[in-house]
Amino acid sequence: MMKKSFYDLAFGVAPGGARKDAHYVLASLDEVKIALAEELAEEINLYLLCWYGADLSLHVYQQEELAQSIDLHPFITISIDGYMDITFKGPGEPVGYDFRADDGAGDEKERLSSKMFCGSLGDAVSVSVDWSRIEVPPLTGETVAEDDEDDVVELAEGHLGAYGYQDFEE
């Protein structure tokens, strides 16, 4: 059996107050962009990035060998009406808003972290990813395929994954 190449979009929070260990095993960068946009459209995921310091990485596997890991935090901008843009130095390092100072300050319903957690920002929030600054290598050789149910690959965390979405915390 030929070893497959793929992208692994990994979004996770270590077990604690919150849990997430989502992976998208995909065959093209366009698929990765769509999956990431869907994840970042959910305010609870913005909360996990800003408050919990969730990991968000793109792993590139060439013939099932991890060739490169890219931290996506530095390329994300969260824009919220009435607030400075929020960017990231890395996991757990948001810039533009002090989420730790938010804890216990004022009316809980008015805290930005609470608004994200409850999903109450609606159209006031938008997220962009500056893909022009991310150097993602193209996949080489045969890639995972959506229609091949037997395509099972091993991810760096020791999980076995197949094409598409899986959350190992569910």
Side-chain angles (χ1 to χ4, degrees):
M1 180 187 285
M2 180 175 277
K3 293 188 175 201
K4 306 288 179 93
S5 294
F6 59 94
Y7 296 114
D8 172 24
L9 176 61
F11 189 1
V13 177
R19 294 181 142 180
K20 184 171 183 130
D21 190 9
H23 292 262
Y24 291 82
V25 174
L26 302 166
S28 76
L29 188 54
D30 287 339
E31 291 173 316
V32 170
K33 290 177 182 180
I34 291 167
L36 182 57
E38 289 172 357
E39 285 287 324
L40 297 178
E42 296 182 35
E43 290 178 45
I44 189 69
N45 289 334
L46 301 181
Y47 172 80
L48 294 175
L49 282 173
C50 294
W51 180 252
Y52 274 96
D55 291 322
L56 182 59
S57 300
L58 179 60
H59 304 293
V60 181
Y61 287 82
Q62 305 288 11
Q63 286 83 47
E64 297 185 27
E65 293 292 326
L66 181 61
Q68 185 175 355
S69 291
I70 303 166
D71 175 19
L72 296 175
H73 288 87
F75 308 103
I76 295 173
T77 301
I78 302 171
S79 300
I80 304 169
D81 294 347
Y83 297 89
M84 290 180 55
D85 281 353
I86 299 166
T87 58
F88 298 86
K89 291 180 185 176
E93 298 180 273
V95 176
Y97 190 84
D98 185 355
F99 285 89
R100 295 296 169 202
D102 210 19
D103 190 28
D107 181 9
E108 183 176 359
K109 291 183 179 182
E110 295 304 313
R111 296 180 203 152
L112 182 55
S113 57
S114 294
K115 291 177 183 179
M116 285 178 169
F117 181 80
C118 294
S120 64
L121 292 169
D123 292 339
V125 64
S126 64
V127 182
S128 61
V129 179
D130 189 354
W131 287 102
S132 68
R133 292 182 29 234
I134 307 172
E135 294 183 29
V136 181
L139 297 177
T140 59
E142 190 174 342
T143 61
V144 294
E146 180 175 12
D147 58 351
D148 188 351
E149 295 174 9
D150 294 328
D151 264 353
V152 176
V153 294
E154 186 173 349
L155 307 176
E157 298 83 12
H159 297 302
L160 296 179
Y163 179 90
Y165 172 81
Q166 45 255 298
D167 190 340
F168 296 105
E169 285 295 332
E170 291 182 336

